[in-house]
Amino acid sequence: MVKWNPFPYDNSEFQFAGGQLKKAWKKLHTGDCEPFPKNEVLQEAWRCFHSGDFQRAVTLADECGIEGHAVANKATGIYATHLEDNEGRQIACFKAAIERAERAIEELPDDANSHYFHAFNLGRYSQSISVIKALKQGVGSKISNSLKATLELQPDHAEAHTALGMYHAEIINKVGKLIGSMTYGASESDAIEYFERALELVPSSPIAHIEYGNGLYLLYGDSRLDDVTDLYVKASEMEPLDAMETLDVQSAIDELE
């Protein structure tokens, strides 16, 4: 097994030993609405995720079978997005998460995150190979269907709202409003509505601000650059709750620089 790249920042505040994990759970998982696991191995997998030991998180999660799909797929997607610098290995990570999510959808269809992490990793996979190429492969409808299923099961899933905002913005940016609307059901107004709802649900989330900024730029370009910059500045000034948010905050800082 190829050893994953290590988390490159200080994670001393993100260990969540013992009962600290349950105490912090609501804040840590406001965005994805994941319930606290009873399984102690899964609790440890989530500790690894929040501290930035993403590969260990996946290993522990997979020991629990499909029950561990959420932490395994979130850890894989976050690692591949931020820390994997080899394109082939990055795509392999996304594909592994997509396959695991497909099994989760079959076995746990009433779990909102079975569907969400399917869409999340499909979306990241699409960006890694080019959105146009992914659309030709039929990935767009799969992302949309999984995100809609997520929100049917969990209407307050903030990360799904953000992802749907990005879905609409990406489609319109790549194929235009008319084809985007007729072929993929993409809408500029829907994109904004999803982004705004996500910020209502998680006003302190760096990624919700970053993705809203990305979406605005995809939709409007330089005409909304001041708003995009403002969203990135807000994200860069936020205090991260864990390793994932540290990566998000740092990405905002890097983009501003």
Short mmCIF file of all heavy atoms in Angstrom, two decimals, residues 100-157:
data_model
loop_
_atom_site.label_atom_id
_atom_site.label_comp_id
_atom_site.label_asym_id
_atom_site.label_seq_id
_atom_site.Cartn_x
_atom_site.Cartn_y
_atom_site.Cartn_z
N ARG A 100 -17.01 2.62 -3.06
CA ARG A 100 -17.48 2.36 -1.69
C ARG A 100 -18.84 3.02 -1.47
O ARG A 100 -19.73 2.44 -0.84
CB ARG A 100 -16.45 2.88 -0.67
CG ARG A 100 -16.77 2.47 0.77
CD ARG A 100 -15.86 3.16 1.77
NE ARG A 100 -14.48 2.72 1.68
CZ ARG A 100 -13.48 3.44 1.18
NH1 ARG A 100 -13.73 4.65 0.67
NH2 ARG A 100 -12.25 2.98 1.16
N ALA A 101 -19.01 4.23 -1.97
CA ALA A 101 -20.28 4.94 -1.82
C ALA A 101 -21.41 4.23 -2.56
O ALA A 101 -22.55 4.20 -2.08
CB ALA A 101 -20.13 6.37 -2.32
N GLU A 102 -21.10 3.67 -3.71
CA GLU A 102 -22.13 2.93 -4.45
C GLU A 102 -22.61 1.72 -3.65
O GLU A 102 -23.81 1.40 -3.64
CB GLU A 102 -21.59 2.50 -5.82
CG GLU A 102 -21.45 3.68 -6.79
CD GLU A 102 -20.73 3.32 -8.07
OE1 GLU A 102 -20.12 2.22 -8.13
OE2 GLU A 102 -20.74 4.14 -9.01
N ARG A 103 -21.68 1.05 -2.97
CA ARG A 103 -22.08 -0.08 -2.11
C ARG A 103 -22.91 0.42 -0.93
O ARG A 103 -23.89 -0.22 -0.53
CB ARG A 103 -20.84 -0.82 -1.60
CG ARG A 103 -20.03 -1.51 -2.68
CD ARG A 103 -19.08 -2.54 -2.12
NE ARG A 103 -18.16 -2.01 -1.13
CZ ARG A 103 -17.00 -1.45 -1.42
NH1 ARG A 103 -16.61 -1.33 -2.69
NH2 ARG A 103 -16.20 -0.99 -0.47
N ALA A 104 -22.53 1.57 -0.39
CA ALA A 104 -23.28 2.14 0.74
C ALA A 104 -24.71 2.49 0.32
O ALA A 104 -25.66 2.26 1.08
CB ALA A 104 -22.57 3.38 1.28
N ILE A 105 -24.86 3.03 -0.88
CA ILE A 105 -26.20 3.37 -1.36
C ILE A 105 -27.07 2.12 -1.47
O ILE A 105 -28.25 2.14 -1.14
CB ILE A 105 -26.12 4.11 -2.72
CG1 ILE A 105 -25.56 5.52 -2.50
CG2 ILE A 105 -27.49 4.19 -3.39
CD1 ILE A 105 -25.21 6.25 -3.79
N GLU A 106 -26.47 1.03 -1.93
CA GLU A 106 -27.21 -0.24 -2.03
C GLU A 106 -27.60 -0.79 -0.67
O GLU A 106 -28.73 -1.24 -0.47
CB GLU A 106 -26.36 -1.28 -2.77
CG GLU A 106 -26.27 -1.07 -4.27
CD GLU A 106 -25.52 -2.20 -4.95
OE1 GLU A 106 -25.30 -3.25 -4.32
OE2 GLU A 106 -25.16 -2.03 -6.13
N GLU A 107 -26.66 -0.75 0.28
CA GLU A 107 -26.88 -1.40 1.56
C GLU A 107 -27.49 -0.46 2.61
O GLU A 107 -28.18 -0.92 3.52
CB GLU A 107 -25.56 -1.97 2.10
CG GLU A 107 -24.98 -3.06 1.21
CD GLU A 107 -23.75 -3.72 1.82
OE1 GLU A 107 -23.69 -3.85 3.06
OE2 GLU A 107 -22.84 -4.08 1.05
N LEU A 108 -27.24 0.84 2.47
CA LEU A 108 -27.74 1.81 3.45
C LEU A 108 -28.43 2.97 2.71
O LEU A 108 -28.00 4.12 2.81
CB LEU A 108 -26.58 2.35 4.31
CG LEU A 108 -25.77 1.31 5.09
CD1 LEU A 108 -24.51 1.93 5.66
CD2 LEU A 108 -26.61 0.70 6.21
N PRO A 109 -29.50 2.67 1.99
CA PRO A 109 -30.13 3.70 1.15
C PRO A 109 -30.79 4.84 1.94
O PRO A 109 -31.02 5.91 1.37
CB PRO A 109 -31.18 2.92 0.36
CG PRO A 109 -31.50 1.73 1.22
CD PRO A 109 -30.19 1.38 1.88
N ASP A 110 -31.07 4.61 3.22
CA ASP A 110 -31.71 5.65 4.04
C ASP A 110 -30.69 6.51 4.79
O ASP A 110 -31.08 7.37 5.58
CB ASP A 110 -32.68 5.01 5.03
CG ASP A 110 -33.86 4.35 4.33
OD1 ASP A 110 -34.25 4.83 3.24
OD2 ASP A 110 -34.38 3.36 4.86
N ASP A 111 -29.42 6.27 4.55
CA ASP A 111 -28.35 7.07 5.16
C ASP A 111 -28.02 8.21 4.19
O ASP A 111 -27.54 7.97 3.07
CB ASP A 111 -27.12 6.18 5.39
CG ASP A 111 -25.98 6.90 6.07
OD1 ASP A 111 -25.92 8.15 6.00
OD2 ASP A 111 -25.13 6.23 6.68
N ALA A 112 -28.29 9.43 4.61
CA ALA A 112 -28.07 10.58 3.71
C ALA A 112 -26.64 10.65 3.21
O ALA A 112 -26.39 11.00 2.05
CB ALA A 112 -28.43 11.87 4.44
N ASN A 113 -25.68 10.28 4.06
CA ASN A 113 -24.29 10.40 3.65
C ASN A 113 -23.82 9.28 2.72
O ASN A 113 -22.76 9.41 2.11
CB ASN A 113 -23.39 10.53 4.88
CG ASN A 113 -23.38 11.94 5.42
OD1 ASN A 113 -23.56 12.90 4.67
ND2 ASN A 113 -23.19 12.09 6.72
N SER A 114 -24.60 8.22 2.58
CA SER A 114 -24.32 7.27 1.51
C SER A 114 -24.38 8.00 0.17
O SER A 114 -23.52 7.83 -0.69
CB SER A 114 -25.35 6.13 1.51
OG SER A 114 -25.28 5.35 2.67
N HIS A 115 -25.40 8.81 0.03
CA HIS A 115 -25.61 9.55 -1.22
C HIS A 115 -24.69 10.76 -1.32
O HIS A 115 -24.13 11.04 -2.39
CB HIS A 115 -27.08 10.00 -1.30
CG HIS A 115 -28.05 8.88 -1.18
ND1 HIS A 115 -28.43 8.12 -2.26
CD2 HIS A 115 -28.71 8.38 -0.10
CE1 HIS A 115 -29.30 7.20 -1.85
NE2 HIS A 115 -29.48 7.33 -0.55
N TYR A 116 -24.51 11.47 -0.19
CA TYR A 116 -23.71 12.69 -0.26
C TYR A 116 -22.27 12.41 -0.64
O TYR A 116 -21.70 13.09 -1.52
CB TYR A 116 -23.75 13.46 1.07
CG TYR A 116 -22.78 14.61 1.01
CD1 TYR A 116 -23.01 15.68 0.15
CD2 TYR A 116 -21.58 14.59 1.72
CE1 TYR A 116 -22.10 16.71 0.01
CE2 TYR A 116 -20.66 15.61 1.59
CZ TYR A 116 -20.92 16.67 0.74
OH TYR A 116 -20.00 17.68 0.58
N PHE A 117 -21.64 11.44 0.01
CA PHE A 117 -20.22 11.21 -0.29
C PHE A 117 -20.02 10.56 -1.65
O PHE A 117 -18.92 10.61 -2.21
CB PHE A 117 -19.55 10.45 0.85
CG PHE A 117 -19.37 11.30 2.07
CD1 PHE A 117 -20.00 10.98 3.26
CD2 PHE A 117 -18.62 12.45 2.02
CE1 PHE A 117 -19.87 11.79 4.38
CE2 PHE A 117 -18.48 13.28 3.12
CZ PHE A 117 -19.10 12.95 4.31
N HIS A 118 -21.08 9.96 -2.19
CA HIS A 118 -21.05 9.52 -3.59
C HIS A 118 -20.94 10.75 -4.48
O HIS A 118 -20.06 10.85 -5.34
CB HIS A 118 -22.33 8.73 -3.89
CG HIS A 118 -22.42 8.23 -5.30
ND1 HIS A 118 -23.42 8.62 -6.17
CD2 HIS A 118 -21.64 7.36 -5.99
CE1 HIS A 118 -23.25 8.01 -7.33
NE2 HIS A 118 -22.18 7.24 -7.25
N ALA A 119 -21.82 11.72 -4.26
CA ALA A 119 -21.80 12.95 -5.05
C ALA A 119 -20.51 13.74 -4.84
O ALA A 119 -19.91 14.26 -5.80
CB ALA A 119 -23.00 13.82 -4.68
N PHE A 120 -20.06 13.84 -3.60
CA PHE A 120 -18.87 14.62 -3.28
C PHE A 120 -17.66 14.10 -4.04
O PHE A 120 -16.93 14.86 -4.69
CB PHE A 120 -18.60 14.56 -1.76
CG PHE A 120 -17.28 15.16 -1.36
CD1 PHE A 120 -17.13 16.53 -1.28
CD2 PHE A 120 -16.20 14.35 -1.03
CE1 PHE A 120 -15.91 17.10 -0.90
CE2 PHE A 120 -14.98 14.90 -0.67
CZ PHE A 120 -14.84 16.28 -0.60
N ASN A 121 -17.44 12.79 -4.00
CA ASN A 121 -16.27 12.23 -4.68
C ASN A 121 -16.43 12.20 -6.19
O ASN A 121 -15.45 12.37 -6.92
CB ASN A 121 -15.95 10.85 -4.10
CG ASN A 121 -15.27 10.93 -2.75
OD1 ASN A 121 -14.11 11.29 -2.67
ND2 ASN A 121 -16.00 10.62 -1.69
N LEU A 122 -17.66 12.03 -6.68
CA LEU A 122 -17.89 12.17 -8.12
C LEU A 122 -17.57 13.59 -8.58
O LEU A 122 -16.99 13.79 -9.66
CB LEU A 122 -19.34 11.84 -8.46
CG LEU A 122 -19.72 10.37 -8.66
CD1 LEU A 122 -21.24 10.24 -8.78
CD2 LEU A 122 -19.03 9.78 -9.89
N GLY A 123 -17.95 14.57 -7.77
CA GLY A 123 -17.67 15.96 -8.12
C GLY A 123 -16.18 16.25 -8.17
O GLY A 123 -15.70 16.89 -9.11
N ARG A 124 -15.47 15.76 -7.18
CA ARG A 124 -14.01 15.98 -7.16
C ARG A 124 -13.33 15.23 -8.30
O ARG A 124 -12.38 15.72 -8.93
CB ARG A 124 -13.43 15.54 -5.82
CG ARG A 124 -13.94 16.33 -4.62
CD ARG A 124 -13.67 17.81 -4.74
NE ARG A 124 -13.98 18.52 -3.52
CZ ARG A 124 -13.96 19.84 -3.38
NH1 ARG A 124 -13.67 20.59 -4.42
NH2 ARG A 124 -14.26 20.41 -2.23
N TYR A 125 -13.83 14.03 -8.58
CA TYR A 125 -13.32 13.26 -9.72
C TYR A 125 -13.54 14.03 -11.01
O TYR A 125 -12.64 14.13 -11.86
CB TYR A 125 -14.02 11.91 -9.77
CG TYR A 125 -13.83 11.15 -11.07
CD1 TYR A 125 -12.62 10.49 -11.34
CD2 TYR A 125 -14.85 11.08 -12.01
CE1 TYR A 125 -12.44 9.81 -12.53
CE2 TYR A 125 -14.68 10.39 -13.20
CZ TYR A 125 -13.48 9.75 -13.46
OH TYR A 125 -13.30 9.08 -14.64
N SER A 126 -14.72 14.61 -11.17
CA SER A 126 -15.04 15.38 -12.37
C SER A 126 -14.07 16.54 -12.56
O SER A 126 -13.59 16.81 -13.67
CB SER A 126 -16.47 15.92 -12.30
OG SER A 126 -17.41 14.87 -12.22
N GLN A 127 -13.80 17.25 -11.46
CA GLN A 127 -12.88 18.38 -11.54
C GLN A 127 -11.46 17.93 -11.88
O GLN A 127 -10.73 18.64 -12.56
CB GLN A 127 -12.90 19.15 -10.22
CG GLN A 127 -14.22 19.88 -9.98
CD GLN A 127 -14.34 20.43 -8.56
OE1 GLN A 127 -13.63 20.02 -7.65
NE2 GLN A 127 -15.27 21.37 -8.38
N SER A 128 -11.11 16.73 -11.44
CA SER A 128 -9.74 16.25 -11.68
C SER A 128 -9.52 15.81 -13.13
O SER A 128 -8.41 15.87 -13.64
CB SER A 128 -9.40 15.10 -10.73
OG SER A 128 -10.13 13.92 -11.07
N ILE A 129 -10.58 15.37 -13.82
CA ILE A 129 -10.44 14.92 -15.21
C ILE A 129 -10.96 15.95 -16.21
O ILE A 129 -10.78 15.78 -17.41
CB ILE A 129 -11.15 13.58 -15.44
CG1 ILE A 129 -12.67 13.72 -15.33
CG2 ILE A 129 -10.61 12.51 -14.53
CD1 ILE A 129 -13.45 12.51 -15.83
N SER A 130 -11.61 17.00 -15.74
CA SER A 130 -12.28 18.07 -16.47
C SER A 130 -13.78 17.83 -16.45
O SER A 130 -14.26 16.72 -16.70
CB SER A 130 -11.80 18.25 -17.91
OG SER A 130 -12.61 17.56 -18.84
N VAL A 131 -14.50 18.90 -16.13
CA VAL A 131 -15.95 18.81 -15.98
C VAL A 131 -16.61 18.40 -17.30
O VAL A 131 -17.54 17.59 -17.31
CB VAL A 131 -16.52 20.16 -15.48
CG1 VAL A 131 -18.05 20.14 -15.50
CG2 VAL A 131 -16.02 20.45 -14.06
N ILE A 132 -16.13 18.93 -18.42
CA ILE A 132 -16.72 18.59 -19.71
C ILE A 132 -16.58 17.10 -19.99
O ILE A 132 -17.54 16.44 -20.43
CB ILE A 132 -16.05 19.41 -20.85
CG1 ILE A 132 -16.44 20.89 -20.74
CG2 ILE A 132 -16.43 18.85 -22.21
CD1 ILE A 132 -17.91 21.16 -21.01
N LYS A 133 -15.42 16.55 -19.75
CA LYS A 133 -15.19 15.11 -19.96
C LYS A 133 -16.11 14.30 -19.07
O LYS A 133 -16.69 13.29 -19.48
CB LYS A 133 -13.72 14.77 -19.69
CG LYS A 133 -13.35 13.33 -20.02
CD LYS A 133 -11.86 13.11 -19.82
CE LYS A 133 -11.48 11.66 -20.14
NZ LYS A 133 -10.03 11.43 -19.94
N ALA A 134 -16.26 14.74 -17.82
CA ALA A 134 -17.12 14.03 -16.88
C ALA A 134 -18.58 14.07 -17.33
O ALA A 134 -19.32 13.08 -17.21
CB ALA A 134 -16.97 14.62 -15.48
N LEU A 135 -19.02 15.22 -17.84
CA LEU A 135 -20.39 15.34 -18.33
C LEU A 135 -20.64 14.37 -19.48
O LEU A 135 -21.71 13.75 -19.57
CB LEU A 135 -20.68 16.77 -18.78
CG LEU A 135 -20.77 17.82 -17.67
CD1 LEU A 135 -20.93 19.21 -18.28
CD2 LEU A 135 -21.93 17.52 -16.72
N LYS A 136 -19.67 14.22 -20.36
CA LYS A 136 -19.80 13.28 -21.47
C LYS A 136 -19.90 11.84 -20.97
O LYS A 136 -20.48 10.98 -21.64
CB LYS A 136 -18.61 13.43 -22.42
CG LYS A 136 -18.64 14.74 -23.22
CD LYS A 136 -17.42 14.86 -24.13
CE LYS A 136 -17.46 16.15 -24.93
NZ LYS A 136 -16.25 16.31 -25.78
N GLN A 137 -19.33 11.57 -19.78
CA GLN A 137 -19.40 10.23 -19.19
C GLN A 137 -20.70 10.01 -18.42
O GLN A 137 -20.92 8.93 -17.88
CB GLN A 137 -18.21 10.01 -18.24
CG GLN A 137 -16.86 9.98 -18.92
CD GLN A 137 -15.71 9.82 -17.94
OE1 GLN A 137 -15.90 9.72 -16.72
NE2 GLN A 137 -14.48 9.81 -18.45
N GLY A 138 -21.55 11.04 -18.36
CA GLY A 138 -22.82 10.90 -17.65
C GLY A 138 -22.72 11.11 -16.16
O GLY A 138 -23.64 10.76 -15.41
N VAL A 139 -21.62 11.72 -15.72
CA VAL A 139 -21.41 11.91 -14.29
C VAL A 139 -22.34 12.98 -13.71
O VAL A 139 -22.77 12.88 -12.56
CB VAL A 139 -19.93 12.27 -14.00
CG1 VAL A 139 -19.72 12.65 -12.54
CG2 VAL A 139 -19.03 11.09 -14.36
N GLY A 140 -22.69 13.97 -14.52
CA GLY A 140 -23.49 15.08 -14.02
C GLY A 140 -24.80 14.65 -13.40
O GLY A 140 -25.17 15.07 -12.30
N SER A 141 -25.54 13.78 -14.09
CA SER A 141 -26.83 13.33 -13.57
C SER A 141 -26.67 12.50 -12.31
O SER A 141 -27.52 12.55 -11.41
CB SER A 141 -27.58 12.52 -14.63
OG SER A 141 -26.84 11.37 -15.01
N LYS A 142 -25.57 11.76 -12.22
CA LYS A 142 -25.32 10.96 -11.01
C LYS A 142 -25.09 11.87 -9.80
O LYS A 142 -25.59 11.61 -8.71
CB LYS A 142 -24.11 10.04 -11.22
CG LYS A 142 -24.32 8.95 -12.24
CD LYS A 142 -23.06 8.09 -12.40
CE LYS A 142 -23.26 7.01 -13.45
NZ LYS A 142 -22.01 6.20 -13.63
N ILE A 143 -24.33 12.94 -10.01
CA ILE A 143 -24.08 13.89 -8.93
C ILE A 143 -25.39 14.54 -8.49
O ILE A 143 -25.71 14.59 -7.30
CB ILE A 143 -23.08 14.98 -9.38
CG1 ILE A 143 -21.70 14.36 -9.61
CG2 ILE A 143 -22.99 16.10 -8.33
CD1 ILE A 143 -20.69 15.32 -10.23
N SER A 144 -26.14 15.03 -9.46
CA SER A 144 -27.41 15.68 -9.15
C SER A 144 -28.37 14.76 -8.42
O SER A 144 -28.96 15.14 -7.40
CB SER A 144 -28.05 16.17 -10.46
OG SER A 144 -29.32 16.73 -10.21
N ASN A 145 -28.50 13.54 -8.89
CA ASN A 145 -29.42 12.58 -8.26
C ASN A 145 -29.01 12.26 -6.83
O ASN A 145 -29.86 12.18 -5.93
CB ASN A 145 -29.50 11.30 -9.09
CG ASN A 145 -30.21 11.49 -10.41
OD1 ASN A 145 -30.96 12.45 -10.58
ND2 ASN A 145 -29.97 10.60 -11.36
N SER A 146 -27.71 12.10 -6.61
CA SER A 146 -27.24 11.76 -5.26
C SER A 146 -27.42 12.94 -4.30
O SER A 146 -27.76 12.75 -3.13
CB SER A 146 -25.77 11.31 -5.29
OG SER A 146 -25.67 9.99 -5.81
N LEU A 147 -27.18 14.14 -4.78
CA LEU A 147 -27.36 15.32 -3.92
C LEU A 147 -28.84 15.55 -3.59
O LEU A 147 -29.19 15.90 -2.46
CB LEU A 147 -26.75 16.55 -4.57
CG LEU A 147 -25.23 16.57 -4.64
CD1 LEU A 147 -24.73 17.76 -5.45
CD2 LEU A 147 -24.61 16.58 -3.24
N LYS A 148 -29.69 15.35 -4.57
CA LYS A 148 -31.13 15.49 -4.31
C LYS A 148 -31.60 14.43 -3.32
O LYS A 148 -32.42 14.72 -2.43
CB LYS A 148 -31.90 15.39 -5.62
CG LYS A 148 -31.75 16.62 -6.50
CD LYS A 148 -32.44 16.44 -7.85
CE LYS A 148 -32.25 17.66 -8.73
NZ LYS A 148 -32.84 17.47 -10.08
N ALA A 149 -31.08 13.21 -3.44
CA ALA A 149 -31.43 12.15 -2.49
C ALA A 149 -30.96 12.51 -1.09
O ALA A 149 -31.65 12.26 -0.09
CB ALA A 149 -30.81 10.82 -2.93
N THR A 150 -29.77 13.12 -1.00
CA THR A 150 -29.24 13.56 0.29
C THR A 150 -30.21 14.53 0.97
O THR A 150 -30.55 14.38 2.14
CB THR A 150 -27.88 14.25 0.12
OG1 THR A 150 -26.97 13.37 -0.54
CG2 THR A 150 -27.30 14.66 1.47
N LEU A 151 -30.65 15.52 0.21
CA LEU A 151 -31.51 16.56 0.79
C LEU A 151 -32.93 16.07 1.05
O LEU A 151 -33.61 16.59 1.94
CB LEU A 151 -31.53 17.79 -0.11
CG LEU A 151 -30.21 18.56 -0.16
CD1 LEU A 151 -30.31 19.75 -1.10
CD2 LEU A 151 -29.78 19.02 1.23
N GLU A 152 -33.37 15.06 0.33
CA GLU A 152 -34.67 14.45 0.65
C GLU A 152 -34.62 13.76 2.01
O GLU A 152 -35.57 13.80 2.79
CB GLU A 152 -35.05 13.45 -0.44
CG GLU A 152 -35.53 14.09 -1.73
CD GLU A 152 -35.79 13.07 -2.82
OE1 GLU A 152 -35.74 11.86 -2.53
OE2 GLU A 152 -36.04 13.48 -3.98
N LEU A 153 -33.48 13.14 2.29
CA LEU A 153 -33.30 12.44 3.57
C LEU A 153 -32.92 13.39 4.70
O LEU A 153 -33.28 13.16 5.85
CB LEU A 153 -32.23 11.35 3.41
CG LEU A 153 -32.61 10.16 2.53
CD1 LEU A 153 -31.37 9.37 2.12
CD2 LEU A 153 -33.59 9.24 3.27
N GLN A 154 -32.14 14.43 4.37
CA GLN A 154 -31.65 15.35 5.39
C GLN A 154 -31.65 16.77 4.80
O GLN A 154 -30.64 17.23 4.26
CB GLN A 154 -30.24 14.94 5.83
CG GLN A 154 -29.62 15.84 6.89
CD GLN A 154 -30.54 16.14 8.05
OE1 GLN A 154 -31.21 17.17 8.07
NE2 GLN A 154 -30.61 15.23 9.01
N PRO A 155 -32.80 17.49 4.90
CA PRO A 155 -32.92 18.81 4.28
C PRO A 155 -31.92 19.85 4.78
O PRO A 155 -31.66 20.83 4.07
CB PRO A 155 -34.35 19.23 4.63
CG PRO A 155 -35.08 17.94 4.88
CD PRO A 155 -34.07 17.04 5.51
N ASP A 156 -31.38 19.67 5.97
CA ASP A 156 -30.43 20.64 6.53
C ASP A 156 -28.98 20.24 6.32
O ASP A 156 -28.09 20.70 7.05
CB ASP A 156 -30.71 20.85 8.02
CG ASP A 156 -32.02 21.57 8.26
OD1 ASP A 156 -32.51 22.25 7.34
OD2 ASP A 156 -32.56 21.46 9.37
N HIS A 157 -28.72 19.41 5.34
CA HIS A 157 -27.35 18.97 5.05
C HIS A 157 -26.64 20.10 4.31
O HIS A 157 -26.74 20.26 3.10
CB HIS A 157 -27.39 17.71 4.18
CG HIS A 157 -26.12 16.93 4.14
ND1 HIS A 157 -24.95 17.44 3.62
CD2 HIS A 157 -25.83 15.67 4.58
CE1 HIS A 157 -24.00 16.52 3.72
NE2 HIS A 157 -24.50 15.44 4.30
#
